[in-house]
Amino acid sequence: MGAERTSTATPGRVAYVNARLLDPGSGLDAPGGLLVENGAIADVGPGLFRDGRPGDAEIVDCGGMCLAPGLVDMRVQLRDPGEEHKETMESASLAAAAGGITRMVCLPNTKPVIDDVALVEFIARRARETGLVHIHPYAAVTKGLGGKEMTEIGLLAAAGAVGFTDGTQAVADSRVMRRALSYARAFHRVIVQHPEEPGLAAGGAMNEGEIATRLGLQGIAPAAEAMMVERDLRLVEITGGHYHVAHLSTAAAIDVVRGAKARGMTVSCDTAPPYFALNELAVGDYRTFAKLSPPLRSETDRRAVVAGLKDGTIDAIASDHSPHDQDSKRLPFAQAAFGMIGLETLLCVSLELFHNGHLSLLEVLRKLTCRPAEILSLPGGRLKRGEPADFIVFDPGRAWRIKEARFLSKSKNSPFDGRPAQGRVLRTVVGGRTIFTLGA
Amino acid sequence: MTAATSVRFAHRHLLGVEGLSPDEITLLLDLSESYIKQSRAADKKATLLRGRTIINLFFESSTRTRTSFELAGKRLGGDVINMSAEASSVKKGETLIDTAMTLNAMHPDVLIVRHPESGAVKLLSEKVNCAVINAGDGTHEHPTQALLDALAIRRRRGSLQGLTVAICGDIMHSRVARSNIHLLTAMGARVRVVAPPTLLPACIDRMGVEVFTDMRAGLRDCDIVMMLRLQTERMQGSFVPSIREYFRFYGLDYAKLEVAKPDALIMHPGPMNRGVEIDSEVADDIDRSLIREQVEMGVAVRMACLDILTRNLQSNEAAI
């Protein structure tokens, strides 16, 4: 599970003093300190070090900056194994660290597909060797992402798969989805759905509407999202399965989830920064970096995503990191690959929700830390005695500009290139070890 | 000449009608008029483009548009080379960008590009130093077709202002429809689109047109009936149940045409599917059909486009 290295690399005792502690799990927002011992949080709290700094520990003065749990990113495409020219575990880990992410969960759409115990173990071993951030795999719901035959959900779960999903494809067949939801219950694993009714969406390149019509591009009807969520909720009702909807982007689908939660159903969902920070206008004159799946939607939908985050319908924010090289993006729009990188911009773009007055700082952090950890039953995401010492120090007010050339990710496909940002990670700590500090 | 000759055409490429001002459109149409005369003369050859290299780069099959551009280039004295995707390295897996860079290294002055994907011509234009003319990109735009249609209408009716034009048929897959909607609305015509609901793209009304799904209602009192080809090659799945049903409700015949103005003109960008979207008799009606005139205007309009864009090249070259 971990990225813990030998004890020599982990300093024994480190005291982080003079910090603004932000722990969304407990609602704590107060000046205080945190003590790391052997890779875990030995103590944390507002009163800590009130009576003087410990003499036997290395001291890190946070200068009054925010200290929060490391981000838990529940949706990342690694491309490793199989497409290492787009991203590797190392490059993704470095990008994650720079973005304040200490734990990420990767989709099974690698080459080969993660649908076998050996591949889950391979990911775990590669993550251990890389030794930066924690990496957990999802395994495929169906063999080869074929949508037909269920994978060995029990064995995969035992090997370390934290959940099951067919990645960027919906589990379209109702009977297969029903059985997966039903069977995975026995192993306490969540089924994560890409919400798009494939028949309706087939062949589409961007959101259906005026802009697609003007550009002569085939549209993807927003209703395709709500339709899939509605169907799935019926299946959840008859199976009692543990269900999570990924990257919601439409008002209609958010309404469906809101209604289900109001009826007392236990469902959860996430969205990604482009869906509350951009709309379909970003496609502009065929900008393939803004070609995403689900596609960027109308301004009405974007506002609905913000509203869903505000009222708690949307539980979590994930980066939806989808690295693509030039060859996959420098193409006519309809032929270009879907997706954008997001590890390094997850925090700063999410902080726009705070700066724009939609959410409190703690609420933004909750959706990036303890809530996704809770949905997937992962450790971390909290500043709590005994938890792994995975945390970040960040300046929520620091102004900077997102620059493609500075990305550590191997791929540079971000529609946020050039965007002014506010809020920056200064230090990322995993298992007590500092793996990233912002250069001056 | 009109006052519009003092207007500058401030574009390096001609990628679409969207974004052209009414003055720029008028400038192109006025210039085209002079080339109609040249094309009708015994000596059709000018020397304006002497020394210029024009490449016709067609990633999609075409006879009339390619020939029309070729004639236009040759009548202006340029060297025209035809390249089709079948004969080029595209079939060997070369990307569009690579093709663009390769051709660019040969120093052409104008690239005329047709491509099956919307936006592909724009993408290519970003990678070359020459002028680029969009000869049709996917279902996006086909600007010279809209210009030649406008020229044909203007010569018969004097002006586009205030005319009611019904564009009928496969609007969804038609770049001709999109370019014509931009041009006609910019020039003050009232535009209607008439199609079965499955062939109307989403929010088409937001492009400033009136939408009809009943052909007789759509044709009522209109001045121009513009028919479009049913583009079965771009269709994924079935949009209309059968050809015979389509012709019954959306094919142009005299019965439907009678509700239009008595002198309403009929247009078609070609190639026509007789008996699918248009009845043979209507298509061949000499008094009402502009179809052959459209082809003639095509050469003149393309000469005007080559003229304007190479003038801009000259001023850029002078600046260096």
Side-chain angles (χ1 to χ4, degrees), chain A residues 269-289:
Chain A
C269 64
D270 69 75
T271 191
Y275 304 113
F276 56 77
L278 298 173
N279 64 27
E280 60 188 341
L281 288 170
V283 171
D285 226 353
Y286 304 102
R287 278 195 74 201
T288 57
F289 281 10

Side-chain angles (χ1 to χ4, degrees), chain A residues 202-204 208-218 285-286 288 326-327 329-335, chain B residues 18 95-97 115 117-120 122-123 126-127 137-140 178 182 201-204 206-207 236:
Chain A
E208 183 174 289
E210 183 189 352
I211 299 180
T213 292
R214 282 178 182 273
L215 293 174
L217 293 171
Q218 198 180 324
D285 226 353
Y286 304 102
T288 57
Q326 291 277 324
D327 289 350
K329 283 290 194 181
R330 298 289 308 168
L331 290 169
F333 197 88
Q335 293 172 355
Chain B
E18 191 173 21
T95 68
L96 182 63
I97 302 270
H115 197 283
E117 294 287 355
S118 301
K122 157 92 168 46
L123 178 63
E126 291 164 357
K127 296 286 155 192
D137 64 323
T139 57
H140 176 225
R178 285 172 179 77
H182 290 307
C203 308
I204 184 74
R206 301 274 284 273
M207 289 180 76
Q236 295 184 350

Side-chain angles (χ1 to χ4, degrees), chain A residues 59-361:
Chain A
I59 305 290
V60 177
D61 191 326
C62 298
M65 288 299 149
C66 296
L67 191 156
L71 310 190
V72 177
D73 187 348
M74 64 187 301
R75 192 173 177 88
V76 175
Q77 297 186 50
L78 271 188
R79 308 280 183 243
D80 181 356
E83 291 178 287
E84 291 87 349
H85 58 291
K86 293 183 173 180
E87 195 80 285
T88 63
M89 220 166 269
E90 287 77 11
S91 64
S93 297
L94 289 168
I101 295 158
T102 54
R103 192 176 295 273
M104 56 186 180
V105 188
C106 61
L107 297 189
N109 62 342
T110 44
K111 292 174 184 171
V113 170
I114 305 173
D115 60 358
D116 188 274
V117 170
L119 279 146
V120 172
E121 286 167 351
F122 173 80
I123 298 288
R125 196 186 74 220
R126 289 275 292 117
R128 211 161 43 239
E129 285 166 5
T130 306
L132 288 164
V133 302
H134 306 285
I135 299 173
H136 307 268
Y138 288 113
V141 177
T142 62
K143 286 183 185 162
L145 306 176
K148 297 252 183 317
E149 218 184 321
M150 202 163 31
T151 54
E152 295 168 316
I153 286 178
L155 291 173
L156 288 161
V162 298
F164 293 83
T165 179
D166 273 358
T168 57
Q169 279 164 249
V171 180
D173 187 302
S174 306
R175 190 162 60 175
V176 171
M177 187 62 171
R178 175 189 180 166
R179 286 186 185 154
L181 280 165
S182 176
Y183 190 77
R185 257 184 70 200
F187 303 95
H188 313 288
R189 286 298 187 276
V190 63
I191 303 288
V192 178
Q193 177 73 300
H194 167 70
E196 189 171 80
E197 204 291 301
L200 193 59
M206 71 170 292
N207 190 41
E208 183 174 289
E210 183 189 352
I211 299 180
T213 292
R214 282 178 182 273
L215 293 174
L217 293 171
Q218 198 180 324
I220 298 170
E225 184 169 285
M227 282 169 69
M228 189 50 90
V229 179
E230 278 169 338
R231 182 208 70 173
D232 285 347
L233 290 173
R234 296 287 173 197
L235 299 176
V236 172
E237 271 168 7
I238 55 179
T239 58
H242 185 7
Y243 177 67
H244 177 87
V245 204
H247 47 213
L248 282 183
S249 65
T250 64
I254 293 164
D255 270 346
V256 172
V257 173
R258 187 177 286 124
K261 286 187 168 183
R263 291 198 305 277
M265 288 181 72
T266 49
V267 295
S268 56
C269 64
D270 69 75
T271 191
Y275 304 113
F276 56 77
L278 298 173
N279 64 27
E280 60 188 341
L281 288 170
V283 171
D285 226 353
Y286 304 102
R287 278 195 74 201
T288 57
F289 281 10
K291 181 180 178 182
L292 309 180
S293 172
L296 290 171
R297 305 286 187 181
S298 68
E299 177 60 9
T300 310
D301 284 319
R302 187 196 69 80
R303 284 165 188 257
V305 172
V306 173
L309 286 161
K310 271 171 94 163
D311 72 9
T313 303
I314 300 175
D315 300 88
I317 302 170
S319 72
D320 214 356
H321 183 73
S322 312
H324 284 295
D325 59 354
Q326 291 277 324
D327 289 350
S328 312
K329 283 290 194 181
R330 298 289 308 168
L331 290 169
F333 197 88
Q335 293 172 355
F338 288 100
M340 58 169 273
I341 56 166
L343 294 170
E344 290 162 82
T345 51
L346 175 61
L347 180 65
C348 67
V349 178
S350 296
L351 283 174
E352 290 179 10
L353 294 164
F354 161 65
H355 294 301
N356 293 339
H358 297 303
L359 296 178
S360 72
L361 198 48

Side-chain angles (χ1 to χ4, degrees), chain A residues 16 19-30 32-36 41-46 66-70 362 365 369-370 380-394 429:
Chain A
Y16 288 81
R20 175 182 171 191
L21 295 176
L22 286 163
D23 181 35
S26 62
L28 173 71
D29 179 356
L34 181 145
L35 180 67
V36 175
I41 298 172
D43 210 348
V44 59
C66 296
L67 191 156
L362 275 180
L365 290 172
T369 58
C370 59
R382 289 165 181 275
L383 298 181
K384 202 171 151 193
R385 200 176 297 167
E387 286 276 327
D390 302 339
F391 57 87
I392 56 172
V393 179
F394 73 101
V429 179

